[in-house]
Amino acid sequence: MRETLLEFFKKTGRPHRLEEILSRFGLEKREAKAYLKALVREGLLEKKGSQYFLPARVQGPISLHRDGYGFVRLPEKDLFIPPGYTKDAWPEDLVEARLMPPGRDGKPWGVVERVLKRARERVVGTLDFRRGYAVLLPDEPGLPELRLLPEGLHGLKRGSRIVVKVHYDRRPYGEFLEYLGEGDAPETETEAVIAKYGLRAEFPEEVLKEAEAIPLEIPEAELRRREDFRSLRVFTIDGVDAKDFDDAIHVERLPQGYRLGVHIADVSHYVKEGSALDQEAFLRGTSVYLPGRVLPMLPERLSNGVCSLKPHEDRLVLSVLVDLDENLEVKRVRFAEGVIRSVARLTYTEVEAFAEGYGLPEEHAFLVEDLRLLLDLTGRLRQKRLQAGSLDFSFPEVKVEVEDGTLHLIPQEEPRARGLIEELMLLANRLVAEYLVKKGLPGLFRVHEEPLEEAYGKLRTALARLGYLLPEKLSSKALQRVLLEAKGRPEEPVVANLVLRSLRLARYAAENLGHFGLAMEHYLHFTSPIRRYPDLVVHRVLKAVLRRTLTPAKKARWQETFPAMAEHASEMERKAEAAERELTKYYMAKWAELHLGERFLGKVTGVASFGAFVMLRNGVEGLVRLEALGPYTYSEEALALLGPKGKRIRLGDKMEVVIAAANPRLRQIDLLPYREEEKKEASRGKTLVQKGKAKEEEMRKVVGPPKDTSRDSRPERATVNTVYFGEWAPREEKAGMHRPADTRAKRRRRRR
């Protein structure tokens, strides 16, 4: 009867009084109350007044710990799930959990009732053979070993990197899909990352055929229909190795102000809504820029061809023309379908050199006055934006380039040149967003909601320890003030990181929710339709208005489909960023592997109970473990490691380190502090790691688990710390050992 009653509540989905239960099921009052009381006690029902009802449920992605418990991540506060109540969820699965009454500690907890959406359909890992079965050892920490179907595995050796499709049965198993290679060679690792995040590497044949059918020449009728900007000094500024130029600019002096032109490649002219090209672009969502490889959103014929604003070639554009007064207030905005012929292709390096007073190359000397004016205007626009509360993060950027197998770590150091383009793009994006909102038009907006109250409270506490005070009331201006106060100080990157981590992720949405980080009420992405699908969608909306073809039916259809489109675009953006970040960490570990034993000056970027993170000048970051530092203890209050005789290691401190070990497969770099007293030992020969196999066992104390895991030779009580996929944690808290399928209550099994 308990199950019948519970099913009745689930079916009706509404509260019921005791009298209704008695009438419905013909139960005795005492009997019915006993059943209902038991259901309430177990948390399956709740009672308020005289009504019984199902407890509240929440939905969110779940994170799991190796000890069996987990947390459902929610916008307000994460919900704790005890061991045995995570059902069959895997890390990052979208789950529905039932809220339970608070326990003795007064804290809420929950029970996973069902998995709504699996986070992964495919898993990448290493092939192994055990007891006559083929199994996959997943690359991802936190995933269980998967028994594999034998089909497709013939001829593959132990240690092969493969991709499998996961079948979520009572006991999940894998089906072979693709062979990636052996070991952790760069090519294999790149394919593994592409497969792991489900990125689309190759274009389907029908998409390529559709792209090849696009004529390279613009029809004369189309040129006549558009506004002709070919007489203006329109030019592009991009990176040295850029091939897809989707934005061009120009500037004019007016009698009482200035006119800025932002001309964006009219990709929507070539990629028609619903076409094979459009469907593929939607699935990809964005271009993905991996070290050594690009996965473009559009085929090369478009991305590097007819849509790219190459110099001295006619190109179709959608233009934003902005008239500003002397105080840089917007006086007039006009949108137009146009045609341009770029007069020059400038690089960030050239423009940065010009900003520093070195002049332009001779072939671009005719743009000196235009550039000088643009640098002045965009500098002033930036100051206005910062005064309004826009957050300015100045993290050092390092570009990873792989050329002919050679790895290059290139710091991106063209702040004024990149800032010039950024300000113009921000201006165009804002003005298009304002126009759509004013006209009540559908759109895909770039939204960034303000931090949650709890996150802001933690930020205030952390910054107070560093001597920076924030008001109780949240405002972007207050956060910007703190960032400015920290400018140039040793703790600047730490303050910036703390502020950044307190913010919510920017995302796409079909409704305009404002952009907290930019302190803008209206904002969207419009300026990169070659590499971002939401920009292409916004182009279609704007062109429909300009051409007066936006019918009520089309508007209603867009309003209905845009929410799901925004969610998909946000998801693909996150996957692309995660893939780029992961492969970048791999290549940084490969770089460290080439420089074992070498000494570098770095800066402490983080401290924890297990050691200190140190970043080198080229952006490579590693961990100096606590046992390598000496008798230091972590102080959360001081945000520092405290040592003997008043010594301390604080955020922002400089530290000279030696690269002790690197494990590209695990995205792990271990550093040792360089000490003067160790000079003699270092000068005798190579470092600890380079002394051969005799020293390898010793280094495992620093690096992590031994290479040969077939037999467990590690001590029972481990105190070392290990990082997996860039996430450092003490071994006792190490992620990656939890097997979600085994989170149910353990039962004694007879040995067989």
Side-chain angles (χ1 to χ4, degrees):
M1 179 53 70
R2 290 171 69 259
E3 288 72 24
T4 304
L5 284 173
L6 189 59
E7 196 58 40
F8 170 69
F9 276 91
K10 288 181 179 179
K11 190 174 181 179
T12 61
R14 61 182 178 83
H16 295 280
R17 296 176 182 273
L18 176 62
E19 290 75 18
E20 294 178 69
I21 302 298
L22 297 176
S23 172
R24 172 86 183 188
F25 296 97
L27 296 171
E28 293 289 336
K29 187 173 183 179
R30 180 181 296 178
E31 185 183 14
K33 288 183 75 173
Y35 284 131
L36 292 170
K37 189 175 181 180
L39 289 170
V40 170
R41 186 170 58 249
E42 293 173 27
L44 300 175
L45 288 180
E46 288 184 10
K47 183 184 180 186
K48 190 172 184 180
S50 60
Q51 291 188 326
Y52 295 87
F53 54 91
L54 288 169
R57 284 169 172 76
V58 295
Q59 295 180 4
I62 189 170
S63 57
L64 297 169
H65 190 272
R66 69 182 179 91
D67 289 338
Y69 64 83
F71 290 91
V72 177
R73 298 199 299 276
L74 304 171
E76 301 80 21
K77 192 174 183 179
D78 294 349
L79 178 67
F80 175 69
I81 310 293
Y85 293 94
T86 60
K87 208 173 176 62
D88 58 349
W90 282 20
E92 303 307 317
D93 284 351
L94 182 66
V95 301
E96 182 177 79
R98 185 174 74 251
L99 294 174
M100 304 297 285
R104 293 180 180 177
D105 58 1
K107 296 181 179 179
W109 60 286
V111 175
V112 173
E113 291 206 320
R114 60 187 176 125
V115 176
L116 302 175
K117 183 182 178 183
R118 293 291 182 178
R120 52 189 70 71
E121 294 179 358
R122 307 192 301 173
V123 173
V124 178
T126 303
L127 177 65
D128 197 8
F129 298 98
R130 296 180 183 174
R131 297 179 183 176
Y133 291 100
V135 296
L136 183 82
L137 310 178
D139 286 352
E140 249 185 289
L143 301 189
E145 294 177 4
L146 284 175
R147 186 174 290 184
L148 303 177
L149 296 175
E151 287 78 13
L153 299 177
H154 180 71
L156 294 183
K157 298 182 298 183
R158 173 184 273 121
S160 298
R161 300 287 292 287
I162 61 174
V163 186
V164 305
K165 179 181 179 181
V166 184
H167 293 270
Y168 291 96
D169 209 339
R170 177 172 293 182
R171 178 175 180 177
Y173 63 93
E175 177 186 356
F176 173 79
L177 289 179
E178 185 182 353
Y179 169 75
L180 300 177
E182 303 291 329
D184 64 348
E187 299 79 11
T188 304
E189 208 62 38
T190 300
E191 293 297 334
V193 167
I194 290 171
K196 174 182 174 181
Y197 292 100
L199 305 178
R200 299 172 73 85
E202 306 298 331
F203 286 99
E205 192 61 35
E206 62 172 330
V207 174
L208 293 174
K209 285 182 179 178
E210 191 173 291
E212 288 301 317
I214 294 174
L216 297 177
E217 298 296 324
I218 303 172
E220 193 62 36
E222 185 64 26
L223 292 175
R224 287 197 301 269
R225 193 185 68 78
R226 291 174 174 256
E227 192 164 344
D228 195 341
F229 299 119
R230 287 176 289 185
S231 62
L232 299 174
R233 287 195 301 273
V234 176
F235 59 97
T236 62
I237 305 176
D238 289 278
V240 175
D241 57 349
K243 294 178 181 177
D244 51 346
F245 315 128
D246 47 15
D247 56 83
I249 57 175
H250 90 275
V251 63
E252 301 174 70
R253 283 191 179 273
L254 302 177
Q256 294 182 337
Y258 317 91
R259 175 168 296 157
L260 295 173
V262 178
H263 309 274
I264 307 301
D266 189 359
V267 178
S268 61
H269 176 80
Y270 300 100
V271 181
K272 303 300 183 184
E273 188 175 12
S275 65
L277 274 169
D278 180 50
Q279 292 176 39
E280 181 68 17
F282 167 73
L283 290 174
R284 292 177 178 240
T286 180
S287 295
V288 186
Y289 298 90
L290 300 173
R293 187 166 175 187
V294 178
L295 308 180
M297 186 180 79
L298 299 171
E300 191 172 337
R301 187 175 179 87
L302 282 85
S303 59
N304 296 352
V306 293
C307 294
S308 187
L309 307 182
K310 297 180 178 180
H312 315 301
E313 295 186 24
D314 291 349
R315 287 291 185 264
L316 303 181
V317 293
L318 196 53
S319 301
V320 181
L321 303 165
V322 189
D323 290 356
L324 304 171
D325 64 17
E326 295 292 346
N327 296 320
L328 303 190
E329 294 295 328
V330 176
K331 290 303 179 186
R332 184 182 180 221
V333 183
R334 189 165 67 87
F335 308 104
E337 293 181 78
V339 56
I340 66 165
R341 184 181 294 156
S342 172
V343 297
R345 189 228 162 184
L346 274 60
T347 67
Y348 289 129
T349 307
E350 291 173 347
V351 176
E352 191 67 26
F354 175 78
E356 294 175 2
Y358 291 101
L360 284 174
E362 188 176 342
E363 66 269 26
H364 297 151
F366 66 97
L367 290 172
V368 164
E369 289 304 317
D370 293 33
L371 261 186
R372 188 174 287 127
L373 181 56
L374 281 169
L375 284 166
D376 174 61
L377 294 179
T378 54
R380 290 162 59 194
L381 283 170
R382 180 176 182 276
Q383 286 303 315
K384 286 191 67 172
R385 181 168 59 83
L386 296 182
Q387 287 169 9
S390 181
L391 303 182
D392 180 36
F393 296 102
S394 54
F395 293 111
E397 280 189 58
V398 177
K399 185 176 182 181
V400 180
E401 282 191 359
V402 182
E403 187 178 358
D404 299 327
T406 305
L407 177 66
H408 304 281
L409 299 176
I410 307 169
Q412 304 295 289
E413 297 174 339
E414 302 103 354
R416 293 186 65 182
R418 293 176 184 273
L420 184 156
I421 292 297
E422 180 184 15
E423 290 305 323
L424 294 177
M425 299 306 116
L426 288 173
L427 178 65
N429 288 339
R430 174 172 66 85
L431 293 174
V432 173
E434 287 177 355
Y435 180 79
L436 295 189
V437 172
K438 183 180 178 181
K439 294 284 186 180
L441 300 169
L444 289 183
F445 296 92
R446 184 65 171 178
V447 303
H448 185 216
E449 296 142 292
E450 65 180 29
L452 295 168
E453 188 176 332
E454 183 182 3
Y456 182 65
K458 290 180 178 178
L459 175 65
R460 288 186 68 211
T461 303
L463 288 179
R465 290 175 182 149
L466 294 171
Y468 296 90
L469 300 179
L470 282 173
E472 287 188 20
K473 188 176 180 182
L474 170 67
S475 77
S476 59
K477 284 187 177 182
L479 294 181
Q480 178 59 21
R481 176 181 53 78
V482 165
L483 291 172
L484 288 174
E485 285 178 10
K487 202 84 171 175
R489 296 184 179 180
E491 67 272 14
E492 179 187 355
V494 179
V495 171
N497 263 305
L498 287 171
V499 173
L500 187 63
R501 280 161 46 194
S502 74
L503 303 176
R504 293 203 248 185
L505 288 175
R507 60 185 177 91
Y508 294 104
E511 53 183 329
N512 177 41
L513 302 175
H515 199 293
F516 177 83
L518 292 173
M520 292 183 184
E521 188 178 351
H522 313 289
Y523 191 70
L524 51 66
H525 280 165
F526 168 81
T527 55
S528 294
I530 290 178
R531 61 184 181 88
R532 289 190 307 228
Y533 192 77
D535 303 53
L536 174 58
V537 171
V538 171
H539 276 228
R540 288 182 179 140
V541 175
L542 187 58
K543 284 177 69 175
V545 176
L546 294 177
R547 295 184 179 187
R548 299 182 180 178
T549 59
L550 183 59
T551 63
K554 182 182 284 188
K555 183 177 179 180
R557 176 169 57 82
W558 279 345
Q559 286 173 331
E560 182 181 347
T561 58
F562 278 7
M565 199 176 286
E567 188 175 337
H568 173 75
S570 299
E571 181 183 355
M572 295 313 297
E573 178 188 51
R574 287 191 293 270
K575 285 184 176 180
E577 289 176 348
E580 182 182 352
R581 185 167 54 246
E582 182 172 325
L583 202 55
T584 296
K585 286 182 178 179
Y586 163 80
Y587 274 109
M588 286 184 170
K590 291 293 283 185
W591 177 89
E593 204 173 39
L594 297 173
H595 295 81
L596 291 175
E598 295 184 26
R599 181 163 45 125
F600 296 92
L601 183 65
K603 184 180 288 187
V604 177
T605 54
V607 291
S609 58
F610 47 86
F613 296 99
V614 176
M615 182 181 287
L616 311 185
R617 289 175 177 173
N618 62 0
V620 172
E621 187 179 51
L623 177 70
V624 181
R625 302 181 185 278
L626 198 63
E627 55 265 34
L629 289 169
Y632 279 84
T633 56
Y634 174 63
S635 168
E636 186 178 359
E637 188 65 30
L639 280 177
L641 291 169
L642 306 180
K645 299 179 181 178
K647 290 182 180 179
R648 59 175 57 196
I649 297 173
R650 296 168 298 183
L651 300 167
D653 284 354
K654 291 182 179 179
M655 184 184 292
E656 208 166 4
V657 293
V658 173
I659 298 180
N663 190 327
R665 182 76 169 273
L666 299 179
R667 283 57 163 161
Q668 170 183 317
I669 299 171
D670 281 272
L671 307 174
L672 292 173
Y674 180 83
R675 297 187 177 93
E676 288 295 323
E677 59 268 23
E678 294 172 355
K679 276 186 177 180
K680 290 181 181 180
E681 184 182 344
S683 64
R684 280 193 218 113
K686 298 181 180 179
T687 59
L688 198 57
V689 214
Q690 296 171 309
K691 290 181 180 179
K693 292 185 178 179
K695 286 291 183 181
E696 186 173 306
E697 292 297 324
E698 187 175 350
M699 275 313 300
R700 285 175 189 157
K701 298 175 184 175
V702 182
V703 178
K707 292 180 180 177
D708 181 12
T709 55
S710 60
R711 54 189 178 84
D712 193 359
S713 59
R714 286 168 286 177
E716 219 175 351
R717 187 171 179 178
T719 57
V720 297
N721 309 301
T722 307
V723 60
Y724 291 96
F725 291 88
E727 299 294 332
W728 297 85
R731 186 175 296 281
E732 59 268 20
E733 298 175 2
K734 183 177 67 177
M737 298 300 290
H738 172 61
R739 298 183 181 180
D742 297 330
T743 59
R744 292 185 288 270
K746 294 182 179 179
R747 298 178 182 174
R748 290 185 177 273
R749 294 190 298 174
R750 183 186 303 166
R751 291 192 179 185
R752 295 183 181 181

